[in-house]
Amino acid sequence: DMYLVELCSLKILKYLDFNFNISRFNDYHKWNIEQPCSTIAGGTKSNLYTYEMFDAKISELAALLNNKPIIFTGHVNVKTKEGVYIKERQMINGWIGEICERDGHNYYDLSSDVDMDVDKYIQPDLIHFKESLFRLANRRINDIVLSLVGLSD
């Protein structure tokens, strides 16, 4: 067994005992809730992960998966129209890379590959990916998997 885990946000959104992905939280109508402001948002707490929390989460995931091979990835980071990287994505990717290197986990970040040809991989809005990025990610993951099972060159 092998696992691929994407850690791509510093945001923590909590309602009662549930953690929400922010994009799923915005789809409140799928939860049969009519007024998110009074029903959910009023009792929602948000926070940001710290390095220590990411470190603990990666260790927790490794233990939960019985220390089987895990490939961690962050969020592809590209330069904004102003020519700067998104700070939070830079931070997350740096943290994950550092923790994985220290603890012997596999990590990959496609950001540098994408940087070489943003137009090839990212939509003009600099948010959404093109099919070519998914193909690149697939090749990179495949290479890592083959090396883990001893079948790479």
Side-chain angles (χ1 to χ4, degrees):
D1 292 339
M2 194 171 299
Y3 298 91
L4 175 65
V5 177
E6 180 185 30
L7 301 171
C8 61
S9 180
L10 290 173
K11 298 173 198 85
I12 303 168
L13 195 61
K14 198 171 192 70
Y15 177 71
L16 301 175
D17 290 331
F18 301 98
N19 288 321
F20 283 85
N21 173 302
I22 191 76
S23 61
R24 298 296 173 251
F25 187 76
N26 290 334
D27 294 336
Y28 65 89
H29 60 278
K30 293 179 183 176
W31 298 85
N32 294 321
I33 297 170
E34 292 180 20
Q35 296 181 329
C37 292
S38 61
T39 307
I40 289 183
T44 302
K45 296 178 182 166
S46 63
N47 205 342
L48 295 177
Y49 275 98
T50 63
Y51 177 90
E52 291 75 19
M53 293 166 81
F54 258 91
D55 192 9
K57 188 58 70 180
I58 289 172
S59 294
E60 179 184 336
L61 286 166
L64 181 67
L65 299 173
N66 295 316
N67 292 309
K68 292 187 176 167
I70 305 169
I71 303 168
F72 286 97
T73 185
H75 200 303
V76 172
N77 196 7
V78 295
K79 292 180 181 174
T80 64
K81 291 178 182 173
E82 292 77 30
V84 296
Y85 289 104
I86 298 170
K87 183 178 90 174
E88 291 82 4
R89 290 183 185 176
Q90 231 17 32
M91 193 180 318
I92 291 168
N93 291 345
W95 290 352
I96 299 168
E98 182 180 309
I99 293 164
C100 286
E101 184 175 336
R102 182 197 68 210
D103 294 347
H105 300 300
N106 302 286
Y107 171 68
Y108 83 100
D109 179 4
L110 291 174
S111 299
S112 60
D113 293 323
V114 171
D115 246 359
M116 289 187 234
D117 195 351
V118 173
D119 293 335
K120 179 178 178 181
Y121 297 113
I122 307 292
Q123 299 288 346
D125 63 7
L126 298 178
I127 297 171
H128 297 97
F129 305 145
K130 292 182 179 179
E131 183 65 31
S132 56
L133 182 68
F134 296 109
R135 286 193 299 273
L136 174 64
N138 187 23
R139 284 193 308 274
R140 290 283 299 274
I141 293 166
N142 188 57
D143 290 346
I144 294 169
V145 169
L146 289 175
S147 72
L148 290 172
V149 296
L151 296 175
S152 66
D153 296 332

